[in-house]
Amino acid sequence: MTVPSERIIGGQKPDKLPLVLSAEEIKRFLDAVTGVRNRVVLATAYAAGLRASEVVRLKVNSIDSKRMLIHIENGKGGRDRYAMLSPRLLEILRTYWMRARPGLWLFPGQDPSEHVSVRCVQAACRAARRRARLAKPITVQSGIDIRIIQVLLGHADLDRLRATLRLRPICSPARPAHSMDSPSG
């Protein structure tokens, strides 16, 4: 007797850890980003562990330099949360602000009344990855306690976070910014 093909279930794919960029690869990646705004957007996403959809919606007043926090409004699941702001990232953001003088949005789009689009940031990320000749996807940095990443990314379920970290290449790795080189090269 033959079994119809739609009833055959394939084997599971093996669980593999994400590839991790070295410090030198991170520097090459950030050096390969064109445009000051794009470089600072990606450096901010990387240093604070923000999703692309979160970093583009940052407002100037989202940066709390007194408490060294970044306020993320309507993050994943519509929840507000805070991310840590390192002294190095604050320095980068202040230099950017002095140069760009953004209005409402920290990273405005072509129309200053709108924020830069997620697609624009993702395209800048892909282009920089190609220019830096990186074969690895830009993903969350390992070596950081996963519970810290869980809190920073606003995940309620640790198992879902583990699945997300393994399966979803993103452009916003969580990595301490104090070890990050300047996005200006």
Side-chain angles (χ1 to χ4, degrees), residues 62-81:
S62 298
I63 308 301
D64 185 345
S65 60
K66 286 187 175 71
R67 296 189 302 157
M68 299 302 286
L69 295 171
I70 300 172
H71 181 225
I72 293 96
E73 296 179 50
N74 295 316
K76 186 172 180 182
R79 287 181 261 167
D80 288 4
R81 67 183 181 93

Side-chain angles (χ1 to χ4, degrees), residues 50-111:
L50 304 181
R51 297 174 180 90
S53 61
E54 294 171 335
V55 75
V56 299
R57 288 184 283 112
L58 289 177
K59 297 176 180 171
V60 172
N61 64 2
S62 298
I63 308 301
D64 185 345
S65 60
K66 286 187 175 71
R67 296 189 302 157
M68 299 302 286
L69 295 171
I70 300 172
H71 181 225
I72 293 96
E73 296 179 50
N74 295 316
K76 186 172 180 182
R79 287 181 261 167
D80 288 4
R81 67 183 181 93
Y82 287 98
M84 293 180 291
L85 174 64
S86 74
R88 180 70 183 115
L89 180 57
L90 178 60
E91 180 184 326
I92 290 166
L93 290 170
R94 282 184 170 157
T95 301
Y96 165 75
W97 187 87
M98 292 296 291
R99 184 172 179 181
R101 298 285 183 175
L104 170 66
W105 300 106
L106 186 57
F107 304 114
Q110 288 184 341
D111 176 358

Side-chain angles (χ1 to χ4, degrees), residues 9-148:
I9 299 171
Q12 283 186 326
K13 290 183 181 178
D15 245 354
K16 293 185 179 181
L17 291 172
L19 298 171
V20 178
L21 296 179
S22 69
E24 186 271 328
E25 288 171 322
I26 294 162
K27 180 173 180 357
R28 274 189 13 230
F29 169 72
L30 289 174
D31 287 345
V33 179
T34 58
V36 172
R37 184 200 60 200
N38 289 339
R39 189 170 291 156
V40 176
V41 166
L42 291 173
T44 301
Y46 184 80
L50 304 181
R51 297 174 180 90
S53 61
E54 294 171 335
V55 75
V56 299
R57 288 184 283 112
L58 289 177
K59 297 176 180 171
V60 172
N61 64 2
S62 298
I63 308 301
D64 185 345
S65 60
K66 286 187 175 71
R67 296 189 302 157
M68 299 302 286
L69 295 171
I70 300 172
H71 181 225
I72 293 96
E73 296 179 50
N74 295 316
K76 186 172 180 182
R79 287 181 261 167
D80 288 4
R81 67 183 181 93
Y82 287 98
M84 293 180 291
L85 174 64
S86 74
R88 180 70 183 115
L89 180 57
L90 178 60
E91 180 184 326
I92 290 166
L93 290 170
R94 282 184 170 157
T95 301
Y96 165 75
W97 187 87
M98 292 296 291
R99 184 172 179 181
R101 298 285 183 175
L104 170 66
W105 300 106
L106 186 57
F107 304 114
Q110 288 184 341
D111 176 358
S113 67
E114 297 290 326
H115 59 72
V116 65
S117 71
V118 172
R119 281 187 177 176
C120 179
V121 171
Q122 290 170 336
C125 183
R126 282 190 300 271
R129 185 173 155 233
R130 275 192 309 272
R131 275 192 293 282
R133 300 187 195 289
L134 295 174
K136 299 175 188 175
I138 310 300
T139 59
V140 172
Q141 175 76 22
S142 71
I144 297 174
D145 187 333
I146 194 163
R147 290 166 300 204
I148 293 171

